[in-house]
Amino acid sequence: MAEFSLIETIRERCAVARDDVRLGIGDDGAVLAVPIGHELVVSTDTLVAGVHFPLQTAPFDIGWKALAVNLSDLAAMGANPAWATLALTLPSADAPWVEKFADGFAALAREHQLALVGGDTTRGPLSITITVFGFVPAGAAVTRAGAKAGDWICVTGTLGDAAAGLACVLACEDGADELIGRLNRPAPRIAAGLLLREVASAAIDISDGLLADLGHICARSGVGAEVCVDDLPMSEAFGEYADAPTRQRLQLAGGDDYELCFSVQPDRAPALLWDLAQSGCAATRIGQIVVGREIMLTDDSGAQIEMPLRGWEHFA
Amino acid sequence: MAEFSLIETIRERCAVARDDVRLGIGDDGAVLAVPIGHELVVSTDTLVAGVHFPLQTAPFDIGWKALAVNLSDLAAMGANPAWATLALTLPSADAPWVEKFADGFAALAREHQLALVGGDTTRGPLSITITVFGFVPAGAAVTRAGAKAGDWICVTGTLGDAAAGLACVLACEDGADELIGRLNRPAPRIAAGLLLREVASAAIDISDGLLADLGHICARSGVGAEVCVDDLPMSEAFGEYADAPTRQRLQLAGGDDYELCFSVQPDRAPALLWDLAQSGCAATRIGQIVVGREIMLTDDSGAQIEMPLRGWEHFA
């Protein structure tokens, strides 16, 4: 399979028509039109085999996940997805692998009317870099920087599932399909992100674990946080997965769930949580923003608890 | 060196201020404003160590070249560079290496007032994926698709230098600084690309060799081409490098010079060539677009010559 038929395979399987793509794949660059009154939101993520996904991950899931982790960043900014570029480095031009990879990418791209507008294919150790492009009305992007003391801290969905799924994969455990599904096919919270726009004071997606990512909001906003570990939302499958200390560790420091963590003023919170629940992506209050710089953990009784944890860091 | 100090190192060294960057590095995504009446041109290229550059290449040169090959694609579209994202995969967080790499990237970025707006750093085999963003007035992008029979075919600068430089590097030959310089620090022809806008009928950058890249223009435009091998422009250093058959092979099928190959109507050609020469990036006529689909090679006397060559292809 030559380079150009490889590109053709990807292009065919990922075709999504959009009027704002003036020129798509096939030239030196794509030509794209951003709607008037809107700003462009851009995010890039690389997935390296064996680092960001286990080597045995199915190619469909790799394609899905590589796009999902990028779309999750758009969700956290409150952006509407529009386009993506795909840089694919492969050890060899394995046609069935590429077809399944493209199908996984395309399945998620179609869900979000996202057009693949360019990319590159090169030979080398398996790795995937995707850049995604979305729109926000000018000035409306949600950032990490607006959280204020007194704001509620909330998260969408449930936490810990993907980290538990990874543990199951690595232990070759059966019967954890739901948890492994969360690991392999995360659902970027695009619709939730749109609801956060002009309501949330700050937002981030949870890719490296709640403590690490909430820590970014605190650092950028110049605030601290109090999180009640007993309020962290969990799925039924996750609740059955392990003992309480293990679960807490995964919920606080496991990553890869790609849920949104956001802050919102108390008077705006109930309506937002209602809207999110109506949209099919319920969110849960897990604590509040406080004066200071630290993240404190408490339990149900309000007692402070110690847990020296942090999230995932490359090169740490 | 932890991931976040690595990002900070890159950010500090690559700082270029632009008003249209509403939010730069440090959030889930960058927020960017495209000027009204303009379209966005986007291109992505990956460089893999040992594939796109010899393993012994200096980190400064790798940083420069990774950006240059992307800017070259913007040049071929007639776009003005604005922003870039950088996805850097590294075997280890080697601070001096990263500093020199960032300096190489930054040196070229500053020349073009290009702002680094986002990226990702991951651990893995060395590879660099850059996505660049530029602007063109709406509808003004130069594509590969407009060449017509009778058009002149021209190339900027000289051909073959980088391929000769690579041969010198691989043979550990001394005294070929100029040729190796062309290999390691290509100059993207941005100013030339702006002159081509609204004048050239088609353009491409020569990354995979003249025959391969001119072949893309022919395929997209539905035309053929006649190229006179004796008219291919060469530098003095290249002229002294090897015998004529070797030089011809490198000029036709060697890549990495990142010159522009373009077609232009005969009545518009002289003024364009004059303007290019005045801008400091002279171009040379090397042949003409013809009816058909093939690229024919001739010599000075007009006799057709056979040379079964093609350009670089991954997975070939």
Side-chain angles (χ1 to χ4, degrees):
Chain A
M1 191 187 208
E3 184 180 4
F4 296 105
S5 62
L6 193 156
I7 294 170
E8 201 42 50
T9 297
I10 295 170
R11 175 155 73 158
E12 273 173 19
R13 285 171 185 256
C14 298
V16 169
R18 287 182 64 102
D19 286 346
D20 49 22
V21 179
R22 299 292 151 82
L23 184 66
I25 295 171
D27 214 298
D28 287 293
V31 183
L32 307 164
V34 175
I36 290 175
H38 285 69
E39 288 165 348
L40 193 68
V41 178
V42 174
S43 183
T44 294
D45 270 307
T46 299
L47 271 66
V48 177
V51 177
H52 297 87
F53 52 86
L55 293 172
Q56 67 265 43
T57 307
F60 184 100
D61 291 341
I62 297 171
W64 174 289
K65 184 164 184 170
L67 180 56
V69 304
N70 277 281
L71 287 179
S72 181
D73 285 317
L74 291 188
M77 306 291 291
N80 241 323
W83 317 306
T85 62
L86 166 64
L88 185 57
T89 301
L90 290 172
S92 68
D94 173 342
W97 193 97
V98 170
E99 286 163 12
K100 285 175 206 141
F101 172 88
D103 285 342
F105 179 100
L108 184 59
R110 273 197 207 100
E111 242 180 58
H112 295 283
Q113 271 299 302
L114 177 111
L116 183 65
V117 297
D120 194 16
T121 55
T122 51
R123 191 200 287 268
L126 178 59
S127 111
I128 305 118
T129 298
I130 292 178
T131 303
V132 286
F133 305 73
F135 307 139
V136 285
V142 186
T143 73
R144 300 174 178 179
K148 296 252 173 341
D151 286 354
W152 289 19
I153 301 167
C154 305
V155 293
T156 60
T158 58
L159 295 181
D161 303 65
L166 178 61
C168 293
V169 168
L170 297 179
C172 300
E173 277 175 33
D174 281 340
D177 292 352
E178 199 180 320
L179 298 173
I180 294 171
R182 282 293 301 270
L183 175 70
N184 287 336
R185 298 200 198 166
R189 299 304 191 186
I190 295 290
L194 298 181
L195 291 172
L196 296 186
R197 223 155 62 184
E198 291 166 60
V199 185
S201 53
I204 194 168
D205 74 316
I206 304 175
S207 53
D208 294 335
L210 174 66
L211 287 181
D213 291 314
L214 176 57
H216 294 311
I217 287 186
C218 290
R220 300 280 291 184
S221 299
V223 296
E226 257 180 42
V227 170
C228 175
V229 296
D230 292 318
D231 289 345
L232 300 177
M234 68 177 82
S235 67
E236 205 171 313
F238 182 79
E240 292 163 2
Y241 165 72
D243 57 9
T246 303
R247 289 201 313 258
Q248 249 172 30
R249 187 172 49 74
L250 295 177
Q251 292 201 294
L252 290 167
D256 257 7
D257 278 324
Y258 298 99
E259 297 293 351
L260 300 182
C261 173
F262 59 93
S263 59
V264 57
Q265 286 176 29
D267 58 332
R268 309 190 79 173
L272 178 57
L273 293 183
W274 170 260
D275 288 343
L276 286 167
Q278 292 299 304
S279 79
C281 177
T284 308
R285 180 186 180 180
I286 61 166
Q288 63 182 346
I289 299 291
V290 297
V291 172
R293 297 279 163 162
E294 301 297 313
I295 300 180
M296 283 163 293
L297 301 177
T298 63
D299 64 16
D300 252 349
S301 73
Q304 200 173 321
I305 57 179
E306 288 299 325
M307 208 177 293
L309 287 174
R310 38 179 215 168
W312 174 259
E313 197 184 316
H314 288 280
F315 310 115
Chain B
M1 190 187 209
E3 183 179 6
F4 296 106
S5 63
L6 193 158
I7 293 170
E8 201 42 51
T9 297
I10 296 171
R11 175 155 74 157
E12 272 173 21
R13 285 171 185 256
C14 298
V16 169
R18 288 182 64 101
D19 286 346
D20 49 21
V21 178
R22 299 294 152 82
L23 185 65
I25 295 171
D27 213 297
D28 287 292
V31 182
L32 308 164
V34 175
I36 289 175
H38 286 67
E39 288 164 348
L40 193 68
V41 178
V42 174
S43 183
T44 295
D45 269 307
T46 300
L47 270 66
V48 177
V51 177
H52 297 87
F53 54 86
L55 293 172
Q56 67 266 42
T57 307
F60 184 100
D61 291 340
I62 298 172
W64 174 290
K65 184 164 185 170
L67 180 55
V69 304
N70 277 281
L71 288 179
S72 181
D73 285 317
L74 291 188
M77 306 291 291
N80 240 323
W83 317 307
T85 62
L86 165 65
L88 184 58
T89 302
L90 290 173
S92 68
D94 173 342
W97 192 98
V98 170
E99 286 162 13
K100 285 175 207 141
F101 172 88
D103 285 342
F105 179 100
L108 184 59
R110 273 197 207 101
E111 241 180 60
H112 296 282
Q113 272 299 302
L114 177 112
L116 183 65
V117 297
D120 194 16
T121 55
T122 50
R123 190 200 288 266
L126 178 59
S127 113
I128 305 118
T129 297
I130 291 179
T131 302
V132 286
F133 305 73
F135 306 139
V136 285
V142 186
T143 73
R144 301 175 178 178
K148 296 250 174 339
D151 286 355
W152 290 18
I153 301 168
C154 305
V155 293
T156 60
T158 57
L159 296 182
D161 303 67
L166 179 60
C168 294
V169 169
L170 296 180
C172 299
E173 278 174 33
D174 280 341
D177 292 353
E178 199 180 319
L179 299 173
I180 294 171
R182 282 293 302 270
L183 175 71
N184 286 337
R185 298 199 198 167
R189 300 303 191 186
I190 294 292
L194 298 180
L195 292 172
L196 297 186
R197 224 156 61 185
E198 292 166 59
V199 184
S201 52
I204 193 168
D205 73 316
I206 304 177
S207 53
D208 294 336
L210 175 66
L211 288 181
D213 291 314
L214 177 56
H216 293 312
I217 287 187
C218 291
R220 299 282 290 183
S221 299
V223 295
E226 258 179 42
V227 171
C228 175
V229 295
D230 292 318
D231 289 345
L232 299 177
M234 66 178 83
S235 68
E236 204 171 313
F238 182 78
E240 292 162 4
Y241 166 70
D243 56 11
T246 303
R247 290 201 312 260
Q248 249 173 29
R249 187 171 50 74
L250 295 177
Q251 291 201 294
L252 291 166
D256 257 7
D257 279 322
Y258 299 99
E259 297 293 352
L260 300 183
C261 173
F262 58 93
S263 59
V264 56
Q265 286 176 30
D267 58 331
R268 311 190 78 173
L272 179 57
L273 293 183
W274 170 261
D275 288 344
L276 286 167
Q278 292 299 305
S279 80
C281 178
T284 307
R285 180 186 179 178
I286 61 165
Q288 63 183 348
I289 300 291
V290 297
V291 173
R293 297 279 164 162
E294 300 298 311
I295 300 180
M296 283 164 293
L297 300 177
T298 63
D299 63 17
D300 250 350
S301 73
Q304 200 172 322
I305 57 179
E306 288 299 324
M307 208 178 292
L309 287 174
R310 37 180 217 169
W312 173 260
E313 196 184 317
H314 288 281
F315 309 116

